[in-house]
Amino acid sequence: MYHEGSRRLQDQFDTRRLADRIDEKFLRDPVIGPDDREFIERMDMFFLATADAEGRPQCSYKGGEPGFVRVLDERTVAFPNYDGNGMYLSMGNLAVNPHVGMLFIDFVSKRPSRLRLNGVATIDEHDELVNAYPKAQFVVRVRTTEVFPNCPRYIHRMALVERSRFVPQRDREQPVPDWKRTDWACDVLPADDPARDP
C-alpha cells in the first residue's frame, strides 16, 4: 500500500504505526462489506480519479440517482457512463490505464462520512447492465483492490437543494443542455445528439 514517498512523510510526522494499523485493519482484504454496500448504494454522486498511460491525472464528478453505483458482489461495483462533453478524458484514461480511485462523500447526513474504493476498471458497451441504466452509453465495472473509510473530520455538512434534471430517467426525456446549442458546439455534435433536432 505504501511507497517510499508515503513512508518518508509517515516517518517525518510519526504516523507510520498509525498507517500500518489502518493497513492491517482496513486494507488487507479489499472486501465491500454490508455497511460499505449500504453507503455506496445510497450515494447519488462520487469523484472518480484516473490517470493516462504517462500518469497524468484526471478527477471527475459522476452523478446520478441514488443507487446508480451498484455493488455487484463483495469485490465489484458498476456504474453507467452518461452523455457528457464528448472529451472522454476519464473514460479514455481507463482504456490505457485501468487503475481508478472512487471517493464517495455523504455531505448531508447528521454525521458526514466518506469511503474510498480503489480498483481496476473495465468498460463494456455490451454489458448486461447497460439496459438497467436509462441512456447509458456503457457500463464501467471496478474490481476492488482497496476499500476503506476515510477520516470525515474535514467534511463540510451540506444540504441537497435539488438533484440535476439532466440525470437520465426512464419516465421522462432529458432536457438538452444549453451549451450544446451554442455557436461553438452545435455544428460539431454527434449525428444522433438530440440537441441537433431544432
Side-chain angles (χ1 to χ4, degrees):
M1 178 66 185
Y2 305 122
H3 52 70
E4 184 272 332
S6 301
R7 288 302 197 188
R8 187 170 3 98
L9 289 167
Q10 290 167 10
D11 291 342
Q12 179 181 344
F13 294 99
D14 192 28
T15 65
R16 184 182 282 249
R17 292 179 313 282
L18 177 59
D20 287 345
R21 180 66 52 83
I22 290 170
D23 178 42
E24 177 186 306
K25 181 163 177 52
F26 296 109
L27 301 175
R28 295 284 164 89
D29 193 14
V31 169
I32 302 167
D35 292 340
D36 301 331
R37 178 185 200 119
E38 186 277 327
F39 184 84
I40 291 168
E41 291 189 338
R42 71 179 161 83
M43 293 294 99
D44 58 3
M45 54 82 64
F46 71 95
F47 297 97
L48 177 68
T50 64
D52 67 15
E54 282 76 45
R56 293 177 296 225
Q58 288 290 333
C59 184
S60 59
Y61 166 91
K62 298 296 178 188
E65 289 295 313
F68 82 109
V69 179
R70 297 179 182 203
V71 177
L72 304 181
D73 59 47
E74 65 181 10
R75 295 187 188 269
T76 314
V77 298
F79 62 91
N81 190 76
Y82 296 128
D83 174 56
N85 61 16
M87 295 173 72
Y88 294 98
L89 296 174
S90 296
M91 296 301 121
N93 281 351
L94 297 185
V96 298
N97 178 354
H99 299 278
V100 300
M102 300 171 73
L103 175 61
F104 298 89
I105 304 177
D106 181 352
F107 293 102
V108 300
S109 290
K110 189 169 190 175
R111 183 176 180 270
S113 55
R114 60 185 169 177
L115 179 78
R116 288 189 189 203
L117 187 153
N118 297 327
V120 178
T122 57
I123 296 173
D124 187 355
E125 60 188 274
H126 303 294
D127 190 291
E128 62 191 26
L129 286 175
V130 79
N131 293 324
Y133 295 108
K135 309 246 183 201
Q137 294 177 324
F138 50 82
V139 170
V140 178
R141 290 184 184 232
V142 178
R143 185 81 172 157
T144 62
T145 55
E146 289 111 16
V147 181
F148 56 101
N150 208 200
C151 177
R153 112 179 94 162
Y154 300 114
I155 301 173
H156 305 296
R157 189 165 176 226
M158 301 181 189
L160 176 65
V161 175
E162 180 180 38
R163 286 204 166 88
S164 172
R165 62 191 176 99
F166 296 97
V167 172
Q169 306 274 328
R170 289 204 186 284
D171 56 347
R172 69 172 158 83
E173 281 298 310
Q174 270 184 280
V176 172
D178 291 339
W179 70 267
K180 285 190 173 189
R181 294 220 165 110
T182 61
D183 290 342
W184 67 265
C186 65
D187 62 331
V188 291
L189 294 173
D192 62 350
D193 195 300
R196 293 182 72 105
D197 183 0

